[in-house]
Amino acid sequence: KLAGSRPPETWILTPLVYTRVSTTMLVTAYLAIIFLLALCVGLELTARRITPPESAPSAVANPAFRRFQKIFLRAYLLALWADWLQGPYLYKLYRHYSFLESQIAILYVCGLASCVLFAPFSGWLPQALGRRQTCLLFCLCYSACCLTKLSRDYFVLIVGRILGGLSTSLLATTFEAWYVHQHVEVHDFPKEWIPSTFTTAATWNHGLAVGAGLVANMLAEWLHLGPVAPFLLAVPCLCCCGWVVLTDWGKEEADGSRFSRSCHEGLRCLLSDKRVLLLGGVQALFESVLYIFVFLWTPVLDPHGPPLGIVFSCLMAASMVGSLLYRLATSTHYHLQPGHVLCLAVLMAFFSFFMLTFSTAAGQPRPHESFLAFLLLELASGLYFPAVSFLQSRVIPEEKRAGVLAWFRLPLHLLACLGLLALHGEVSGTGGGEGGGGTRHMFGGCAVMMLAALMAVVSLFTLGRNDADLRLEGTRGDGEMF
């Protein structure tokens, strides 16, 4: 029957060709992770050699501060580890349950819509319920989200995505809110010591992301436990996080802050300062395409047989390379400003999506080129996040930052939802799924969004050409960004 449907030689050679492609992608993934990790080590050693210590000696030498820092990092890093474990095999799990790509797109849209719904509340809940209690709520919701992955029922999985959206919103705001409040209001440490804690957390975060991909790959593929295994491992990690919060973080009273006041103040700050508005536009455009990328990288690469956990570790290692390059570029040795780095990051992201529109052509997929483009995009994101974080700290008042960032996330998730809904429509209508026309059109749309983000970056620094708030102190030059 098979021989009658197509020539015998094609039937014989096709499995051999697929095996060869799968083997080359397997080797490529392992060679890439070795190269990227070696590059990270080299960049870290270079950064330590040419950049002076940034933390105040008094912060490092203060035993009370170090104890407080360790208590926070112990819980926060467990939460981040549990979050990263769920990254490599989410799409694969849904395909394992035999859902169509259009159905999976709806699941992702439900998660993003949940982020849209809960993002404004994520900055208010820590004040209304208490920061410690909200962190415990995060552990509970995220654990329930992971447990829903055991079910093949579509409605249960939708509920899990809604819980995941709430948990993601809380993770982005609640732990940081608790730390800043305790640091300033309870322990009365100097505000200048705050960045040292989050610099340490960011360094660990990259390492945890790379390690999560390796552990997820070991569980799902090496030990043959299936794509649900990393989600189950995340549950005890979240329980440990909740236990640390419950036992080590002490008691705390809610502030009783009004939700409407927090939203109003954040919106007023956003609309009254053009720098804040433009920065919000850059964030919404750039990070929304990252959400679309999170959905698309697995269906683009998975048909060609790479180990998804190793690929995920490669992507996170590329992001770590970007972060280390930012540290070098903005050092006193190279004197680049965060605005320059942000512009470069957006340009690199545009080029990566431009590459993807060609490497995902229907009927002619080029997985190696797609993998390289994904690595370039993650490298760009590693440059982008510290640059945009610096600019946010300069143009957004600290007391209004939570409300402003909540408004930033609203268009971000809406754009990602619209993109996935458009992809769902193309897949449902034309069948252009993996490597097909719908995916290629989506990457083309992301490239257009990156052009819009680039225009916003140029407008931002044209507006603040001589604005000292947008520059690092102690660097050479006349202060002009472009």
Side-chain angles (χ1 to χ4, degrees):
K1 184 178 180 181
L2 286 171
S5 61
R6 54 183 175 176
E9 64 273 17
T10 305
W11 174 60
I12 292 171
L13 289 176
T14 298
L16 297 177
V17 172
Y18 180 78
T19 301
R20 180 177 63 82
V21 172
S22 299
T23 302
T24 57
M25 282 301 298
L26 180 74
V27 172
T28 299
Y30 279 102
L31 289 177
I33 189 62
I34 294 171
F35 171 76
L36 288 168
L37 289 178
L39 183 59
C40 287
V41 173
L43 289 172
E44 177 65 28
L45 293 176
T46 303
R48 291 187 180 187
R49 187 176 70 252
I50 70 173
T51 58
E54 296 180 359
S55 300
S58 54
V60 177
N62 189 302
F65 173 73
R66 294 184 65 182
R67 281 196 302 270
F68 167 64
Q69 190 182 62
K70 287 179 180 179
I71 288 173
F72 167 71
L73 290 175
R74 195 178 302 140
Y76 186 47
L77 294 179
L78 279 169
L80 292 174
W81 171 254
D83 184 50
W84 285 124
L85 280 172
Q86 301 174 56
Y89 286 95
L90 180 60
Y91 187 98
K92 182 78 170 182
L93 177 69
Y94 294 144
R95 290 309 301 263
H96 179 71
Y97 288 162
S98 301
F99 291 114
L100 301 175
E101 185 172 347
S102 58
Q103 294 174 305
I104 299 173
I106 292 298
L107 287 170
Y108 275 76
V109 167
C110 288
L112 291 173
S114 175
C115 288
V116 172
L117 178 63
F118 292 115
F121 294 91
S122 62
W124 166 75
L125 274 177
Q127 300 172 357
L129 300 179
R131 298 165 187 85
R132 175 172 170 267
Q133 288 85 340
T134 310
C135 290
L136 291 173
L137 177 64
F138 158 81
C139 296
L140 180 63
C141 289
Y142 224 7
S143 297
C145 169
C146 293
L147 292 175
T148 61
K149 303 300 188 294
L150 290 170
S151 174
R152 293 174 178 263
D153 185 87
Y154 195 68
F155 176 76
V156 174
L157 293 174
I158 286 178
V159 172
R161 290 299 295 166
I162 294 173
L163 291 173
L166 170 61
S167 304
T168 301
S169 298
L170 293 178
L171 178 61
T173 57
T174 305
F175 285 85
E176 180 178 346
W178 181 88
Y179 176 81
V180 172
H181 175 78
Q182 293 285 320
H183 182 106
V184 176
E185 302 295 335
V186 177
H187 295 280
D188 197 26
F189 293 130
K191 289 184 178 181
E192 292 76 15
W193 293 1
I194 292 177
S196 68
T197 298
F198 290 108
T199 299
T200 303
T203 302
W204 275 97
N205 188 33
H206 282 111
L208 289 174
V210 175
L214 298 175
V215 170
N217 189 83
M218 179 184 69
L219 294 174
E221 300 189 25
W222 296 351
L223 298 180
H224 304 288
L225 298 178
V228 75
F231 297 92
L232 297 182
L233 179 61
V235 175
C237 298
L238 291 165
C239 292
C240 291
C241 175
W243 178 255
V244 172
V245 171
L246 192 63
T247 57
D248 293 348
W249 281 21
K251 295 184 178 180
E252 178 193 12
E253 298 295 331
D255 293 345
S257 178
R258 293 183 59 187
F259 171 66
S260 58
R261 184 180 65 184
S262 176
C263 290
H264 177 70
E265 290 178 353
L267 183 61
R268 185 169 58 182
C269 177
L270 181 63
L271 297 178
S272 62
D273 191 334
K274 288 184 178 180
R275 301 176 307 168
V276 179
L277 190 61
L278 287 170
L279 189 60
V282 174
Q283 182 175 355
L285 290 166
F286 193 98
E287 296 182 28
S288 62
V289 302
L290 290 184
Y291 275 100
I292 296 172
F293 152 74
V294 166
F295 172 76
L296 288 176
W297 75 266
T298 304
V300 168
L301 297 179
D302 189 45
H304 306 283
L308 294 181
I310 302 300
V311 171
F312 183 83
S313 292
C314 289
L315 298 174
M316 296 301 101
S319 179
M320 186 189 299
V321 169
S323 180
L324 290 168
L325 287 175
Y326 173 85
R327 180 176 163 190
L328 287 170
T330 56
S331 68
T332 54
H333 189 80
Y334 293 103
H335 308 287
L336 284 181
Q337 293 290 346
H340 299 135
V341 179
L342 182 60
C343 184
L344 176 63
V346 175
L347 276 173
M348 290 172 63
F350 165 75
F351 185 69
S352 68
F353 284 114
F354 184 75
M355 289 175 59
L356 287 164
T357 59
F358 293 96
S359 64
T360 56
Q364 296 178 332
R366 295 194 288 272
H368 293 85
E369 287 84 347
S370 296
F371 182 44
L372 179 62
F374 288 148
L375 292 177
L376 181 63
L377 179 59
E378 281 294 337
L379 177 64
S381 73
L383 292 168
Y384 162 83
F385 280 106
V388 81
S389 178
F390 170 85
L391 295 171
Q392 286 174 354
S393 68
R394 291 303 185 93
V395 303
I396 305 175
E398 184 175 344
E399 65 276 6
K400 300 178 181 179
R401 192 169 302 161
V404 172
L405 294 182
W407 283 106
F408 278 8
R409 284 188 290 271
L410 185 62
L412 186 163
H413 292 119
L414 282 174
L415 285 171
C417 284
L418 292 174
L420 290 177
L421 285 172
L423 179 63
H424 166 259
E426 289 209 33
V427 171
S428 300
T430 66
E434 297 144 358
T439 300
R440 188 184 186 191
H441 295 160
M442 185 56 59
F443 285 137
C446 290
V448 173
M449 292 171 69
M450 285 300 94
L451 282 179
L454 181 62
M455 293 174 61
V457 172
V458 173
S459 299
L460 173 63
F461 293 108
T462 300
L463 180 68
R465 183 179 295 272
N466 297 310
D467 193 340
D469 287 342
L470 303 180
R471 302 197 309 270
L472 287 167
E473 295 87 352
T475 55
R476 296 179 305 185
D478 60 2
E480 292 191 1
M481 302 301 299
F482 292 98

